[in-house]
Amino acid sequence: MLRLTELKLPLAHAKDALRPAICARLGIDDGELLGFSIFRRGHDARKKSAIALIYTIDFEVRDEAGLLRRLAGDRHIGPAPDTEYKFVAQAPDGLEERPVVIGMGPCGFMAGLLLAQMGFRPIILERGKIVRERTRDTWDLWRKHTLHPESNVQFGEGGAGTFSDGKLYSQIKDPQFHGRKVLQEFVKAGAPEEILYVSKPHVGTFRLVKMVENIRAKIIALGGEIRFGSKVDRLDLEPAGDGQQVRGVILADGTRIASRHVVLAVGHSARDTFRTLYEQGVYVEAKPFAIGFRIEHPQALIDRARFGPNAGNELLGAADYKLVHHCANGRAAYSFCMCPGGQVVAATSEPGRVVTNGMSQYSRAERNANAALVVNVNPEDFPGDARANPLIGIDFQRHWEERAFVAGGGNYDAPAQRVGDFLAGRPSTALGSVIPSYQPGVRPTDLASCAPDYVIAALREAIPAFDKQIRGYALADAVLTGVETRTSSPIRIRRGDDYQSLNTRGLYPAGEGAGYAGGILSAGVDGIKVAEALALDLLAAPR
């Protein structure tokens, strides 16, 4: 199998144009091309009036060696890499120890699935509920102002990624094609097959719900066990060398589950768990993250700015964007988690606080585009000494979430402000043509009270700069909603090359909560890596 990259065709090319274009590019007759498949399809929209589709093609020809000799100087043609996943281990018959996975988000369920596929019969513990019950609880906040602290956007089967755009792309280095394994498992679980080849795949919330249910069923069918409403209270530890060794976990109801191999995949909002781990001596350190607001524009405005006369083309779909501006105060302001045709959602997991996030369905058909506009913050910005208290970033997040709760009226409505008013430094008393999508509701106000001064200054500088890249970005009636604090984990549970905690053997920090991922795909990939390392260590351990 060979691979051809950077094959360009017009956006409106005929369905049967691909095969002759491949033959022409390779300089072969049609009969020499035995078959082909699309490995990747993206687009080049730099010329809005002449948008091109960019293909990566895997193909077979009659004389592979001859073609490679003839095109030896062409960097876009060569052998296709082997992307088939290969299991690193298989559990032997009679293995008594069962690994424990804490968390049923993308990292946790991929770790659990892989362990189950290798025969290790994992026990997965999830503090929240099954995904459909969790969805009903989440709607209680969105529709009735009622928060369920253990069942919400952050906690429950599927993790925070369930209520998102369902983006399945990442910029991580992936030389072993673990991301391909994740996508293939998602397709088997019900995701559209196109996620295997489109350049920016997504599935949307409703499809994610069914996919998560199917993955749960597969884990159970393979001998795994999943316990919901099972909050881990603390680890069971014993001294070991100059550190400690996991012996198991103790649940909030007092139940003890023995295991010397525990995957910690709790997500970035398990603040109580982070504190317990720190108090138990697990090595934890503060790390940078970002805070800011959600910004909403009419999706049609973004489509026109990005695609020009091709706005609305079915192959292009709803337009997205990625923006960054380096500000005069030394900060970087950037867009994050952009959700085309989506909505801003209430994402708090703690009473008395307001947190925003973004979500889209597969169709991306809602009227507004939204994205987080955030500014980097560092441990040095947090009040206090991050070295003495590595959890100080959590306190920093909570402070601004509480300010947003008060500014929104104290009932989980969110504070909001027209972009024109925000740039002018005046409170909003009413909203304009852009209708906010945040539920349960918004309260026009002044967002300057909901973030540090340097964040406000950076965003006021960045938005007009972004308007030069996307005409209309500084639209006066565009809406900012606050506050976005859960961009990534405020801590890192550092691990070694063996994927185990630096000072706690048998503990495998993983995914977003441990500071090693930033989205569904990267979290899933990290779950695979950790499961592989755990399996090899478990087989090497004396029995």
Side-chain angles (χ1 to χ4, degrees), residues 319-339:
D320 64 1
Y321 60 79
K322 185 177 181 180
L323 303 167
V324 62
H325 176 71
H326 297 283
C327 304
N329 64 3
R331 304 281 171 170
Y334 58 95
S335 63
F336 173 80
C337 185
M338 195 272 162
C339 298

Side-chain angles (χ1 to χ4, degrees), residues 12 28 94 98 137 174 191 204 271 284 287 298 306 308 315 365 371-372 396 515:
I28 61 175
R98 300 178 70 181
D137 290 343
D174 188 19
R271 294 165 167 174
V284 177
K287 63 175 278 292
R306 302 295 282 175
L315 286 179
F396 188 75

Side-chain angles (χ1 to χ4, degrees), residues 43-109:
H43 63 263
D44 182 350
R46 287 174 294 181
K47 293 184 178 180
K48 298 181 179 62
S49 60
I51 295 176
L53 295 178
I54 313 295
Y55 289 94
T56 296
I57 303 292
D58 287 345
F59 65 93
E60 293 180 275
V61 292
R62 292 189 184 280
D63 184 8
E64 180 177 301
L67 185 143
L68 288 175
R69 284 195 302 270
R70 179 167 56 83
L71 301 175
D74 192 329
R75 63 186 179 90
H76 295 298
I77 299 172
D82 181 4
T83 62
E84 182 179 356
Y85 182 76
K86 298 173 180 61
F87 292 99
V88 301
Q90 184 65 38
D93 294 337
L95 182 67
E96 293 185 4
E97 182 183 349
R98 300 178 70 181
V100 169
V101 178
I102 307 174
M104 187 60 177
C107 180
F109 68 61

Side-chain angles (χ1 to χ4, degrees), residues 89-167:
Q90 184 65 38
D93 294 337
L95 182 67
E96 293 185 4
E97 182 183 349
R98 300 178 70 181
V100 169
V101 178
I102 307 174
M104 187 60 177
C107 180
F109 68 61
M110 281 308 302
L113 176 61
L114 198 74
L115 289 168
Q117 289 174 332
M118 292 188 288
F120 288 96
R121 302 180 302 119
I123 299 172
I124 304 178
L125 305 172
E126 169 55 54
R127 67 191 293 172
K129 300 180 181 180
I130 63 173
V131 69
R132 291 192 185 269
E133 292 181 11
R134 173 197 179 198
T135 298
R136 288 193 291 270
D137 290 343
T138 299
W139 285 347
D140 278 351
L141 176 60
W142 295 354
R143 296 174 177 177
K144 303 176 184 177
H145 298 83
T146 301
L147 173 67
H148 298 268
E150 293 296 331
S151 183
N152 46 63
V153 166
Q154 307 297 345
F155 300 142
E157 184 180 26
T162 305
F163 298 97
S164 71
D165 188 47
K167 298 178 186 67

Side-chain angles (χ1 to χ4, degrees), residues 269-389:
S269 293
R271 294 165 167 174
D272 49 0
T273 302
F274 298 153
R275 178 160 295 281
T276 297
L277 292 170
Y278 175 60
E279 290 173 350
Q280 288 197 279
V282 177
Y283 181 79
V284 177
E285 63 186 18
K287 63 175 278 292
F289 54 97
I291 68 171
F293 311 120
R294 280 273 153 182
I295 189 167
E296 291 190 85
H297 299 88
Q299 181 62 48
L301 182 152
I302 305 299
D303 290 344
R304 289 192 301 270
R306 302 295 282 175
F307 298 147
N310 289 295
N313 184 281
E314 184 178 354
L315 286 179
L316 296 175
D320 64 1
Y321 60 79
K322 185 177 181 180
L323 303 167
V324 62
H325 176 71
H326 297 283
C327 304
N329 64 3
R331 304 281 171 170
Y334 58 95
S335 63
F336 173 80
C337 185
M338 195 272 162
C339 298
Q343 66 186 87
V344 180
V345 298
T348 188
S349 55
E350 296 179 331
R353 300 182 174 99
V354 163
V355 181
T356 61
N357 197 6
M359 184 179 85
S360 296
Q361 299 302 342
Y362 176 72
S363 63
R364 290 177 165 176
E366 300 297 326
R367 71 170 72 90
N368 289 349
N370 77 79
L373 277 191
V374 295
V375 177
N376 64 298
V377 295
N378 303 305
E380 299 77 36
D381 297 316
F382 310 151
D385 185 352
R387 291 170 297 181
N389 176 17

